[in-house]
Amino acid sequence: MVRERSIDKKENQKLKADVEDLQKYIEDFTTFLPIAVCDVTPIGIITFVNKALQELVDYKEIDIVGEPVETLFLEKKEIEKILAEVSKKEIIRNEELTLISKMEKKISVSLFISSRKDKEGNFLGYFLGIIDISELKKLQEEMEAKIEERTKELREKIEELEKINRLTVGRELKMIGLKEEIKELKEELEKGRKTKEFGNI
């Protein structure tokens, strides 16, 4: 009996050490992750944020854990709608939303949400992966502005060429008209000369 208690105690200590190792591993891994990660309850309350998310929004873990997840986003109704969809679809990728930092800086992000379930399939909440795409959006806006500017320049050149073309065609038509008039005048002169010559005979 004493021996059994001793074995149970050793097994419990080993199990406790294994759980602590696993917790430490998960903590180290989530701290290492460059992607902002957040764990949310079924009713939308934040239970965990990793270091990357804390740095992105300038909040400490203590400030944000226990808060509703929509406090992080500009599009509050949209995030509620997405969470409702995830409970049916299980995963949603690449939703573009705006994250709000502690200093109220707006950050364009791509959001990945997965439902979290236990081994029996009971719904436990959500995992959120948040990728900062503000630099990408800025680059996209710059490219769009350049394309718009280049398109405007090309449009102006096309209009200029069309104007030159109209003037050139106009001149050509005038030249054709003048040539026709000269031809007609020559013909009339020729007729007049022939008539005069015929009259003199």
Side-chain angles (χ1 to χ4, degrees):
M1 190 83 169
V2 174
R3 193 164 173 245
E4 280 178 23
R5 272 195 223 135
S6 174
I7 290 168
D8 284 347
K9 193 175 179 184
K10 281 182 183 176
E11 282 179 8
N12 283 343
Q13 285 173 340
K14 187 177 180 335
L15 192 61
K16 188 178 175 186
D18 288 347
V19 168
E20 285 171 0
D21 286 347
L22 183 61
Q23 284 175 331
K24 178 77 172 109
Y25 170 81
I26 291 167
E27 190 181 307
D28 290 346
F29 183 71
T30 54
T31 300
F32 154 78
L33 275 179
I35 296 170
V37 176
C38 179
D39 188 30
V40 179
T41 68
I43 58 166
I45 303 300
I46 299 166
T47 55
F48 168 80
V49 290
N50 73 340
K51 195 84 173 160
L53 182 57
Q54 291 173 57
E55 287 170 2
L56 187 59
V57 291
D58 296 323
Y59 280 110
K60 292 195 184 326
E61 189 175 17
I62 198 162
D63 298 327
I64 204 159
V65 168
E67 293 295 320
V69 71
E70 61 265 16
T71 58
L72 288 175
F73 295 93
L74 180 67
E75 303 89 349
K76 299 189 185 319
K77 294 285 178 197
E78 187 68 21
I79 193 72
E80 286 174 17
K81 192 175 117 188
I82 293 167
L83 290 177
E85 281 178 38
V86 172
S87 56
K88 295 169 200 157
K89 290 185 181 177
E90 295 198 359
I91 191 159
I92 289 181
R93 297 178 175 89
N94 293 320
E95 279 291 328
E96 281 192 24
L97 293 173
T98 311
L99 207 61
I100 305 291
S101 75
K102 189 176 184 178
M103 305 305 286
E104 297 189 6
K105 179 185 170 192
K106 293 175 183 173
I107 306 158
S108 295
V109 295
S110 184
L111 184 66
F112 294 76
I113 306 179
S114 172
S115 61
R116 193 165 60 86
K117 295 180 180 179
D118 64 16
K119 61 182 179 180
E120 282 84 33
N122 298 314
F123 181 59
L124 301 174
Y126 312 91
F127 285 124
L128 274 68
I130 302 164
I131 300 169
D132 182 357
I133 58 167
S134 49
E135 284 300 313
L136 188 67
K137 291 292 274 186
K138 187 181 170 187
L139 187 65
Q140 183 183 349
E141 284 165 12
E142 285 172 4
M143 287 301 291
E144 283 171 2
K146 281 182 185 175
I147 290 166
E148 197 176 312
E149 189 180 316
R150 188 75 180 119
T151 305
K152 187 183 170 189
E153 285 172 12
L154 287 170
R155 199 176 292 123
E156 285 169 1
K157 283 184 181 176
I158 289 166
E159 284 170 10
E160 198 177 310
L161 285 169
E162 284 174 350
K163 190 177 175 184
I164 290 167
N165 190 39
R166 278 194 301 272
L167 288 169
T168 307
V169 169
R171 278 195 200 123
E172 282 178 18
L173 289 172
K174 278 182 185 174
M175 290 296 286
I176 292 166
L178 285 170
K179 283 179 184 176
E180 288 293 323
E181 279 181 45
I182 290 167
K183 188 179 172 187
E184 285 171 15
L185 286 169
K186 277 183 180 177
E187 285 172 3
E188 281 179 30
L189 277 170
E190 198 63 41
K191 270 186 195 175
R193 197 178 298 135
K194 282 182 181 176
T195 307
K196 207 172 187 185
E197 284 173 8
F198 187 72
N200 288 337
I201 293 168

